[in-house]
């Protein structure tokens, strides 16, 4: 069966450290993968998109890697801040999937002072 | 540039009533998507529409749910005869052009439906 798995346990890290979140998928052939941030009571906010032929993408303090052999994407936040505390969602679109996004359940990140 | 707008933000209905959720896409966007987020679950795709056309409704329940995106006006997600299990957050997203390399969907703030 198809699955997208993110660590369901909350991730607590200290301010200034690098947060690394994992997204693993099974039985998908993604054309691309996206990461979103969601705060309580709000809609997801787009962060980064990485395509199947890209290994790494960066945006300011954010970095995403995509390993289609391992079927895994890693999302990194460097120099983390308390304002980075939120739930982070990965989503993928399958090749030929017609722009339909399939989401993981998200990982809650808490950055402590 | 206003983002995706949804209204109402909160909607309370009694069992058996109808719920109408509205979504205005970002300016210039002609593709709309509806997703549902149940408590403690991830977002689930429901339907994908372009102006006046339903492109993919593979995630829509077979009964009671319908969606439209008319030539003029917002997209509407309609739930008839609501049941308690319909209580969820419903999110709308929009995008501008479809490209083989992928596209970004921008989400609205959601409508939280509570069925009493």
């Amino acid at each position: 069966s198809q699955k997208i798995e993110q660590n369901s346990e909350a991730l607590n890290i200290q301010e200034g450290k690098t947060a690394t979140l994992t997204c693993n998928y099974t039985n998908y052939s993604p054309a691309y993968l996206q990461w979103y941030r969601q705060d309580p009571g709000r809609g997801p906010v787009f962060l980064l998109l990485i395509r199947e032929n890209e290994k790494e993408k960066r945006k300011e303090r954010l970095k995403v890697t995509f390993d289609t052999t391992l079927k895994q994407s890693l999302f990194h936040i460097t120099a983390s801040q308390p304002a980075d505390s939120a739930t982070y969602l990965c989503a993928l679109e399958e090749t030929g999937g017609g722009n339909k996004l399939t989401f993981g359940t998200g990982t809650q990140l808490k950055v402590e002072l | 540039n206003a983002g995706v707008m949804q209204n109402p933000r909160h909607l309370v209905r009694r069992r058996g009533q109808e719920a109408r959720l509205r979504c205005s896409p970002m300016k210039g966007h002609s593709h709309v998507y509806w997703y549902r987020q149940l408590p403690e679950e991830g977002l689930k795709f429901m339907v994908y529409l372009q102006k006046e056309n339903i492109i993919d409704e593979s995630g829509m329940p077979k009964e009671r749910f319908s969606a439209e995106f008319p030539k003029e006006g917002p997209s509407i997600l309609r739930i008839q005869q609501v049941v308690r299990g319909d209580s969820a957050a419903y999110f709308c997203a929009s995008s501008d052009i479809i490209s083989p390399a992928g596209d970004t969907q921008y989400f609205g703030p959601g409508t939280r439906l509570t069925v009493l």
Side-chain angles (χ1 to χ4, degrees):
Chain A
S1 62
Q2 293 181 314
K3 285 190 297 186
I4 301 175
E5 294 180 301
Q6 295 184 255
N7 195 339
S8 58
E9 290 184 14
L11 178 63
N12 295 334
I13 65 166
Q14 205 170 15
E15 184 180 20
K17 301 291 185 185
T18 296
T20 299
L21 286 70
T22 304
C23 177
N24 296 298
Y25 59 91
T26 307
N27 292 328
Y28 283 104
S29 298
Y32 61 87
L33 191 145
Q34 302 189 49
W35 284 87
Y36 287 83
R37 168 185 174 140
Q38 188 174 25
D39 291 281
R42 294 178 176 263
V45 175
F46 171 75
L47 297 174
L48 280 169
L49 179 153
I50 187 164
R51 298 185 172 88
E52 59 177 335
N53 59 350
E54 298 175 319
K55 296 291 185 187
E56 182 178 296
K57 188 75 76 76
R58 290 175 185 261
K59 178 183 175 183
E60 298 173 351
R61 294 185 296 112
L62 309 180
K63 184 177 86 171
V64 170
T65 62
F66 194 9
D67 189 327
T68 55
T69 301
L70 291 178
K71 300 186 185 302
Q72 181 182 80
S73 175
L74 298 178
F75 178 77
H76 307 271
I77 306 175
T78 59
S80 59
Q81 306 164 359
D84 295 327
S85 299
T87 296
Y88 291 85
L89 309 172
C90 73
L92 59 80
E93 183 203 326
E94 283 201 278
T95 304
N99 266 37
K100 177 173 68 179
L101 288 178
T102 302
F103 281 85
T105 51
T107 297
Q108 187 177 1
L109 172 66
K110 186 174 181 181
V111 181
E112 300 166 334
L113 292 169
Chain B
N1 186 12
V4 178
M5 299 177 69
Q6 291 187 249
N7 67 81
R9 294 292 307 276
H10 300 274
L11 182 62
V12 179
R13 285 288 178 265
R14 297 191 180 278
R15 281 180 297 169
Q17 292 184 319
E18 178 179 288
R20 280 187 180 233
L21 288 63
R22 294 175 186 77
C23 169
S24 295
M26 284 179 69
K27 187 176 180 180
H29 286 191
S30 58
H31 305 275
V32 165
Y33 314 81
W34 286 94
Y35 293 82
R36 176 165 64 174
Q37 189 171 37
L38 293 167
E40 307 303 323
E41 292 188 21
L43 284 114
K44 304 287 186 194
F45 169 81
M46 298 181 74
V47 62
Y48 163 35
L49 310 104
Q50 294 179 24
K51 286 283 187 180
E52 300 184 280
N53 289 304
I54 295 175
I55 306 302
D56 182 351
E57 56 181 348
S58 59
M60 287 278 270
K62 295 291 183 237
E63 298 176 347
R64 302 187 297 107
F65 285 71
S66 61
E68 62 176 9
F69 188 17
K71 187 177 180 181
E72 301 291 338
S75 174
I76 306 284
L77 179 68
R78 182 182 177 207
I79 311 172
Q80 295 177 288
Q81 299 175 333
V82 295
V83 301
R84 290 216 173 105
D86 296 333
S87 295
Y90 291 83
F91 292 98
C92 167
S94 72
S95 64
D96 51 5
I97 56 173
I98 301 297
S99 71
D103 192 52
T104 298
Q105 296 182 21
Y106 296 92
F107 282 78
T111 293
R112 276 142 191 87
L113 172 66
T114 301
V115 179
L116 302 177

